[in-house]
Amino acid sequence: MAAREATAGRVTRRRVRTRANLLDAAFAVFAAKGFGRVSIEEVCEAAGYSRGAFYSNFASLDELFFALYQDRAEVIAAQVSGALALDGPGLDVPAAVDRVTEVLLLDRDWLLVKTDFLVHAARDPAVAGTLLEHRARLRGAIADRLRRARGHTELPAVLGDTEAAARAVVAAYDGVTVQLLLDNDVEQARAWLKQLLTALLTDGGGTPDKPLRAV
């Protein structure tokens, strides 16, 4: 009995390691060549595994991408939630924006992969639906924090409810990432994000730390 349990444990750990290696290899290949131009064989070759190993973990490249997306969505949601949770029941918007823009994941290789996949998803309603569900998790983390601040911190009336405010925050993030893809300037992207989020979640008062280039 103990021997069988030990063997099962080794198999489980090996499978976890195989899955992680496939994800790492896929990310590198996607970033280098573009999501729509990569085959399962190329991912397997980069990871050093067979097609059998791939299919024991993922049914398709789409499923593999969603696993990558889930990992990064959880990182971003945790970063946002953690940065917004430090104010207690109220929400010091300028301070929270500072914290969020300091820690938020802005990785250009990931943005390249995600943009390729967005184009792919736009042509496939089933894939688009799944991607929308994943994106909703990030909005949910933001909306939940804004909801808990109601009664303590007033948001601009133009934003409507907390769900609409969360959508606006994610839209600002999306816009900044597009700019980052073009100019490859992470520091500038963080400065833009800080300015946009401050304007969205307050009356727009305040000035950026330094002049910002036109988009």
Side-chain angles (χ1 to χ4, degrees):
M1 181 70 169
R4 285 200 301 271
E5 289 178 351
T7 299
R10 287 195 297 271
V11 170
T12 299
R13 288 193 295 273
R14 185 166 63 246
R15 180 164 184 170
V16 169
R17 186 167 59 250
T18 298
R19 181 182 174 88
N21 289 340
L22 283 166
L23 287 169
D24 289 344
F27 177 73
V29 177
F30 289 163
K33 299 187 67 174
F35 176 85
R37 292 175 289 279
V38 172
S39 67
I40 289 174
E41 288 77 9
E42 287 173 298
V43 172
C44 292
E45 181 179 353
Y49 293 120
S50 66
R51 285 175 63 92
F54 181 94
Y55 283 115
S56 69
N57 287 276
F58 305 103
S60 64
L61 286 175
D62 284 357
E63 185 177 306
L64 184 151
F65 174 83
F66 282 125
L68 280 172
Y69 191 93
Q70 179 67 28
D71 286 348
R72 280 156 181 77
E74 287 178 356
V75 167
I76 292 171
Q79 289 171 334
V80 171
S81 296
L84 295 180
L86 298 179
D87 290 323
L91 185 63
D92 181 342
V93 171
V97 167
D98 281 346
R99 290 195 300 270
V100 168
T101 53
E102 282 297 317
V103 303
L104 194 59
L105 178 70
L106 286 172
D107 178 76
R108 192 169 182 271
D109 281 347
W110 168 241
L111 295 175
L112 285 169
V113 174
K114 187 177 76 168
T115 301
D116 280 338
F117 193 78
L118 283 171
V119 174
H120 167 65
R123 295 188 173 95
D124 187 328
V127 177
T130 304
L131 185 56
L132 287 170
E133 291 175 7
H134 281 263
R135 284 173 61 84
R137 295 179 186 177
L138 175 59
R139 289 201 309 273
I142 299 169
D144 179 66
R145 181 61 185 92
L146 295 177
R147 195 177 299 112
R148 287 186 284 115
R150 294 290 293 264
H152 300 277
T153 304
E154 292 299 321
L155 296 174
V158 70
L159 289 178
D161 59 18
T162 53
E163 294 292 336
R167 286 182 178 276
V169 168
V170 174
Y173 174 73
D174 286 343
V176 165
T177 58
V178 170
Q179 184 67 21
L180 175 57
L181 285 175
L182 296 176
D183 62 23
N184 197 20
D185 188 336
V186 174
E187 181 182 355
Q188 183 70 17
R190 292 194 189 283
W192 272 112
L193 187 60
K194 178 180 177 180
Q195 183 183 23
L196 288 171
L197 292 182
T198 300
L200 275 171
L201 298 176
T202 68
D203 61 2
T207 57
D209 293 336
K210 61 180 182 179
L212 299 177
R213 300 193 300 269
V215 178

